[in-house]
Amino acid sequence: MKKFLSLLITIITISGAFAQSQHGSVSGVVTATDGSPVAYVSVALKGTSYGASTTDKGHFRIGRINPGTYTVVVSAVNMASQEKDVTIIAGQNATVNFMLDLNTSQLKEVMVNARTNSVKMDNPSQSLRLQEPLLQVPQNIQVVSAQSLKEQQIISMSDGIVRNVSGAFRLEHWGDLYANINMRGSQVQAFRNGFNIVTSFWGPLTEDMSFVDHIEFVKGPAGFMLSSGDPSGLYNVVTKKPTGQTKGEFSYTTGSYNLNRATLDLDGKLSKDGKLLYRLNLSGQNKGSFRANEFNNRYVIAPVVSYHVDDKTKLTAEYVYQRANMSNVGSYYVFSPNGYAQYPQSFTALPSGLPPTNINDHSVTLNMQTQLSDNWKLTAQAAYYNYGQNGSSMWADSVGRDGRYIRSIGIWDAKSTMSLGQVFLNGKVNTGSVVHKILGGVDLGNKVYNADYNQSHPLDTKDQMFDPLNPNLGVPPNGYPVFDRSTNLEARAAAGFGYIASTYSSLYVQDELGFFENKLRLTLAGRYTYIKISNYGGPEPTAKHFTPRLGLSVSVDERTALYGLYDQAFTPQVGRLAVGSVKPLTGNNIEFGVKRDWADGKWNTTLAVYRILKNNELTADPNADPNAGLSVVLGQKRAQGVEFDVRGEIAPGFDVTANYAYTDSKVTRSVVTGVTVPSFAKHTANAWLTYKLQGGALRGTGVAGGFTFLGDRSTDAPAPLKMDNYFKLDGGLFWEGNKMRISANAFNILNKYLYSGSYYAFLQSYYYQAEAPRNYRLSINYKF
């Protein structure tokens, strides 16, 4: 046996030496003109699949290269690529260094965006206003990169995005109309490019991924972003911008339920001097459903133009138009007095002749960035959003004890307009050995939402109720609705309870003090907000509030940071109470955590513990008619838990995104008995693993897979039944070359009956939304 092991070791050693002797390598360092290292940019051999990224010190190495002459290319977003020729000799290492002509602001911008082709991103977008790596921020912030979106075949904000973030899940999502993402016990705020774009209880429209670069999830209050909002957090959708590189990408996706989708991404220059740049994203989609009569067809037009006035000032104009034509948004719901998942997974109550819902969503954003000096940068941006919806929603008027019920169609026409503005200043000042990173800004907004959901029409009668055991999806007994749209939407909204408006202005100032060569960072900040808010045509209460922020981050070494955070949040609320008046929601978050980068920054982990207290939060009155629009005050709600995330390249070609969260969310004091926190999971766990072969005849071929688990899911009292645990397994194969990627994934591989839902006391019935059984997608991406 010993002789055999000795022989085996000898063979392996000789084979390794022989293999190494047949290949060479290239290494070097990439710096800016001032000698600063350029981190995380891509280094590749042109025309091949050999490549690597620079470390935080600017170093790179590409190994196992066949002998020959190659062109080494250094490239990154918002940076002109640079090339050098190199000759690779078997058994030897060639050295090639690059010096890039980048000033301080350009270098920062390159490093912020350099990780977009990786599962792990190290820096926040500029729209988060922070001027430091995520490792040093005293808060749990997770970023879902463009690479993750592509690998997982995510096509909209409601399409599996939450599996990438610990503790995130969707609740009552209304199909693909709204994302409605929850974290830390509550629904979080939706942002786009740094703007809060929430105007109602349901919105905004889910973003199509064709124009999205990456998505940032900020856990807990974020005074540096929020004028007012829920202390559970926010997600910030960062859209694609011009890079200065002339390139394009076309993709086509087909799949189950007649999914056909095409996207086009064009990126380039409009002037020879490279000062005027453009980015154009287009997409079109037809999509059916595993349920009869459901569909979701969309198209998107998203042009962006950027003009570099000089090397210090840049202007960017962006327009996004999303058009959606979809079946009735309430058709996803199933009602049963006996519990969840009572009918076949493909069950629907949607009749075939019901008119669709049409949505036109426009947004225009203007952004100016100017580098006032090496240490000071000013950003100003303004945006206008206009959302129009013409459609209806289906719900149950009553549910019988035998399971039959009366379907009701309610009109849902809506219009939302938002005028938003921001000006913020980032700077750095030294006072002796202390480094001050300054952030100051003004946030302004005016939001108006008008909706008509005051007309309804029962499809069934008491004598001819809808029978789920023998569903009739033809012409309903009481016919189709004919709604009165003779008056304008604003008048119809004012006549009911469909008007919501808010106007706010706020000032934020933050000083992060860096001690001991920035190894210890103390954040002192505060936001003063004035806001006026109204709904249902009632009074317009105003609120003024100061919210402090205190953070501490300590670098144990170059790769490890410990942090603690105390932050407050507040927001005036809109609602109607049967008794009493509505008070603003106030809350605070205490959080501690540890962050660490591993393997020269190729992957990282974040461990966080937190405790959130919220006072005066409103929730829908479970004992009121759903058309009454009544709310109740929860009193005080507490959310606390533990979150763990791991993300990045664990080994060459092996990418991992995995997370776990324990969430304990309870109403600790309530003025109304029988009210609990609606559907959430105490335990959530997710993983997505990707492995790609790095060499051989099958180079570029890979396998991907992952799962989502939701355990101990709660429901509204007084429901006697809880939801089952949730487990979904997805996976597939792919091949990726220099210009093409082919991906084939299967979703819900185990073909489980998956659902989410709750209990509605007014109907004395359970309601739930089923997810699709096993289904498939095939995507082809071609770069040119």
Side-chain angles (χ1 to χ4, degrees):
M1 186 67 178
K2 290 182 179 179
K3 290 183 178 180
F4 174 76
L5 291 175
S6 178
L7 177 61
L8 182 61
I9 292 171
T10 302
I11 292 173
I12 293 174
T13 303
I14 294 174
S15 299
F18 177 76
Q20 186 174 6
S21 67
Q22 301 304 303
H23 300 89
S25 62
V26 59
S27 62
V29 62
V30 181
T31 60
T33 50
D34 64 354
S36 301
V38 182
Y40 315 129
V41 296
S42 298
V43 183
L45 302 188
K46 193 173 183 179
T48 76
S49 58
Y50 296 109
S53 296
T54 57
T55 68
D56 59 344
K57 303 298 183 183
H59 296 281
F60 71 90
R61 186 181 185 279
I62 305 174
R64 297 185 58 79
I65 307 172
N66 294 324
T69 300
Y70 299 88
T71 300
V72 183
V73 183
V74 176
S75 61
V77 178
N78 294 335
M79 183 190 82
S81 59
Q82 191 175 118
E83 301 180 356
K84 287 187 179 182
D85 292 333
V86 64
T87 299
I88 302 299
I89 300 173
Q92 297 184 21
N93 177 73
T95 300
V96 179
N97 297 323
F98 291 85
M99 181 176 291
L100 307 180
D101 187 15
L102 298 172
N103 60 33
T104 302
S105 69
Q106 291 172 324
L107 178 59
K108 290 179 181 178
E109 189 171 354
V110 165
M111 293 179 67
V112 163
N113 295 287
R115 281 285 189 179
T116 54
N117 292 324
S118 170
V119 169
K120 173 178 178 281
M121 297 183 67
D122 298 291
N123 296 280
S125 70
Q126 294 182 359
S127 60
L128 277 195
R129 312 178 187 182
L130 303 172
Q131 51 180 338
E132 60 189 350
L134 293 172
L135 182 67
Q136 298 179 6
V137 177
Q139 192 157 3
N140 188 359
I141 300 177
Q142 299 295 321
V143 182
V144 184
S145 71
Q147 183 67 17
S148 294
L149 300 176
K150 182 180 295 184
E151 287 180 358
Q152 299 171 35
Q153 292 183 309
I154 294 172
I155 60 179
S156 82
M157 270 303 299
S158 61
D159 194 24
I161 194 73
V162 292
R163 67 143 52 99
N164 295 276
V165 182
S166 59
F169 66 96
R170 297 178 65 214
L171 173 66
E172 294 189 34
H173 41 76
W174 298 89
D176 200 29
L177 179 60
Y178 304 128
N180 285 12
I181 295 175
N182 287 250
M183 294 187 306
R184 296 189 173 183
S186 298
Q187 183 174 326
V188 297
Q189 299 285 296
F191 277 61
R192 189 189 300 175
N193 294 325
F195 285 116
N196 186 330
I197 57 174
V198 177
T199 56
S200 73
F201 305 110
W202 302 280
L205 178 67
T206 55
E207 285 90 351
D208 186 277
M209 290 297 106
S210 59
F211 63 91
V212 174
D213 185 80
H214 63 278
I215 305 152
E216 301 165 318
F217 285 79
V218 181
K219 307 290 195 74
F224 58 90
M225 291 290 291
L226 283 172
S227 295
S228 61
D230 194 281
S232 293
L234 63 93
Y235 67 86
N236 183 42
V237 174
V238 182
T239 59
K240 295 177 180 177
K241 304 295 192 301
T243 66
Q245 304 177 47
T246 301
K247 59 180 181 178
E249 182 172 356
F250 173 80
S251 72
Y252 174 73
T253 300
T254 186
S256 301
Y257 317 119
N258 298 314
L259 171 63
N260 286 282
R261 172 183 170 86
T263 68
L264 180 64
D265 182 357
L266 300 176
D267 192 359
K269 303 175 182 178
L270 292 174
S271 63
K272 292 183 179 180
D273 60 7
K275 288 189 173 183
L276 186 61
L277 310 176
Y278 79 96
R279 188 85 178 255
L280 175 64
N281 280 276
L282 306 171
S283 75
Q285 168 187 298
N286 288 324
K287 181 183 177 184
S289 170
F290 65 100
R291 290 177 290 250
N293 304 326
E294 287 184 3
F295 58 91
N296 191 327
N297 302 326
R298 289 193 175 198
Y299 65 80
V300 172
I301 303 172
V304 188
V305 176
S306 181
Y307 179 63
H308 291 255
V309 179
D310 50 39
D311 63 350
K312 294 183 178 180
T313 304
K314 180 175 68 174
L315 305 175
T316 301
E318 176 178 4
Y319 170 69
V320 175
Y321 171 58
Q322 297 189 90
R323 164 72 175 181
N325 176 267
M326 61 189 297
S327 49
N328 182 280
V329 297
S331 64
Y332 308 96
Y333 287 99
V334 181
F335 298 87
S336 171
N338 301 316
Y340 303 106
Q342 295 295 301
Y343 307 117
Q345 197 167 357
S346 60
F347 171 84
T348 182
L350 179 65
S352 58
L354 199 65
T357 291
N358 293 305
I359 297 168
N360 292 286
D361 187 48
H362 305 264
S363 69
V364 178
T365 304
L366 302 176
N367 177 280
M368 182 201 72
Q369 301 174 27
T370 182
Q371 196 73 32
L372 302 176
S373 66
D374 287 344
N375 292 326
W376 290 92
K377 181 179 181 180
L378 178 69
T379 302
Q381 60 178 4
Y384 177 75
Y385 283 74
N386 186 302
Y387 171 94
Q389 174 178 310
N390 186 285
S392 64
S393 175
M394 186 166 69
W395 194 253
D397 260 358
S398 62
V399 180
R401 295 309 89 196
D402 60 358
R404 297 185 303 155
Y405 60 91
I406 295 178
R407 299 167 296 172
S408 179
I409 301 297
I411 190 174
W412 194 352
D413 292 355
K415 180 182 179 182
S416 166
T417 59
M418 289 182 283
S419 299
L420 310 170
Q422 295 175 347
V423 179
F424 54 95
L425 181 69
N426 292 104
K428 183 185 293 186
V429 176
N430 292 352
T431 56
S433 60
V434 179
V435 179
H436 300 262
K437 291 182 180 178
I438 307 296
L439 168 61
V442 177
D443 211 353
L444 308 170
N446 181 64
K447 302 178 180 181
V448 177
Y449 180 83
N450 286 283
D452 178 9
Y453 27 68
N454 306 306
Q455 304 177 54
S456 62
H457 174 85
L459 297 179
D460 310 292
T461 65
K462 291 183 179 179
D463 295 330
Q464 292 179 283
M465 298 178 72
F466 178 76
D467 186 358
L469 297 177
N470 186 26
N472 172 24
L473 301 183
V475 177
N478 201 35
Y480 294 108
V482 178
F483 296 121
D484 181 7
R485 293 185 168 99
S486 59
T487 57
N488 63 49
L489 178 59
E490 288 78 5
R492 286 183 278 144
F497 52 90
Y499 174 77
I500 301 173
S502 64
T503 302
Y504 63 86
S505 58
S506 64
L507 173 66
Y508 182 76
V509 179
Q510 173 177 301
D511 184 6
E512 182 183 275
L513 297 84
F515 301 92
F516 311 115
E517 298 181 342
N518 206 41
K519 291 181 180 180
L520 186 151
R521 297 164 295 275
L522 174 65
T523 299
L524 302 174
R527 177 183 286 276
Y528 178 79
T529 301
Y530 169 84
I531 188 167
K532 180 172 67 174
I533 194 165
S534 64
N535 72 328
Y536 311 147
E540 298 186 348
T542 61
K544 304 174 184 178
H545 204 77
F546 175 79
T547 52
R549 177 178 171 90
L550 175 65
L552 183 67
S553 176
V554 181
S555 293
V556 179
D557 53 40
E558 289 186 357
R559 299 295 183 188
T560 308
L562 306 176
Y563 73 88
L565 174 70
Y566 174 80
D567 202 350
Q568 289 186 357
F570 105 104
T571 183
Q573 301 181 94
V574 292
R576 297 172 62 216
L577 302 179
V579 178
S581 59
V582 176
K583 297 179 181 180
L585 180 149
T586 58
N588 63 73
N589 173 59
I590 298 176
E591 180 177 337
F592 298 95
V594 56
K595 303 179 182 182
R596 180 169 173 80
D597 277 352
W598 305 83
D600 292 328
K602 292 183 179 179
W603 61 284
N604 73 334
T605 55
T606 301
L607 175 65
V609 295
Y610 67 90
R611 183 174 185 266
I612 293 173
L613 286 178
K614 295 201 297 184
N615 297 303
N616 307 319
E617 183 179 13
L618 296 183
T619 190
D621 190 337
N623 299 307
D625 186 313
N627 293 321
L630 290 177
S631 299
V632 294
V633 180
L634 282 179
Q636 184 179 85
K637 189 165 84 173
R638 183 201 68 204
Q640 58 189 13
V642 180
E643 300 164 337
F644 178 74
D645 291 83
V646 56
R647 192 186 308 274
E649 186 182 35
I650 303 297
F654 183 40
D655 287 342
V656 171
T657 299
N659 54 73
Y660 167 79
Y662 170 79
T663 306
D664 179 22
S665 186
K666 295 180 179 179
V667 176
T668 53
R669 292 201 306 265
S670 177
V671 297
V672 177
T673 60
V675 178
T676 63
V677 178
S679 312
F680 76 94
K682 278 192 175 182
H683 304 277
T684 65
N686 299 277
W688 185 265
L689 315 177
T690 303
Y691 179 71
K692 181 172 67 174
L693 294 174
Q694 302 297 291
L698 297 178
R699 174 192 292 269
T701 302
V703 60
F707 70 88
T708 294
F709 171 77
L710 304 175
D712 197 3
R713 297 196 286 174
S714 71
T715 189
D716 288 340
L721 297 177
K722 296 179 65 174
M723 290 184 288
D724 295 332
N725 290 341
Y726 176 111
F727 183 81
K728 182 182 180 186
L729 181 66
D730 305 324
L733 302 172
F734 66 90
W735 175 83
E736 189 171 38
N738 295 324
K739 293 186 176 182
M740 182 176 290
R741 178 185 174 93
I742 303 174
S743 306
N745 283 340
F747 302 92
N748 194 5
I749 293 174
L750 301 180
N751 206 30
K752 286 181 171 288
Y753 194 147
L754 303 174
Y755 66 89
S756 64
S758 192
Y759 183 81
Y760 200 50
F762 178 78
L763 295 175
Q764 296 183 10
S765 175
Y766 298 87
Y767 63 89
Y768 64 92
Q769 299 177 356
E771 297 186 19
R774 185 186 299 121
N775 61 97
Y776 308 91
R777 285 182 187 173
L778 172 68
S779 297
I780 300 175
N781 296 67
Y782 179 73
K783 298 179 180 179
F784 54 90

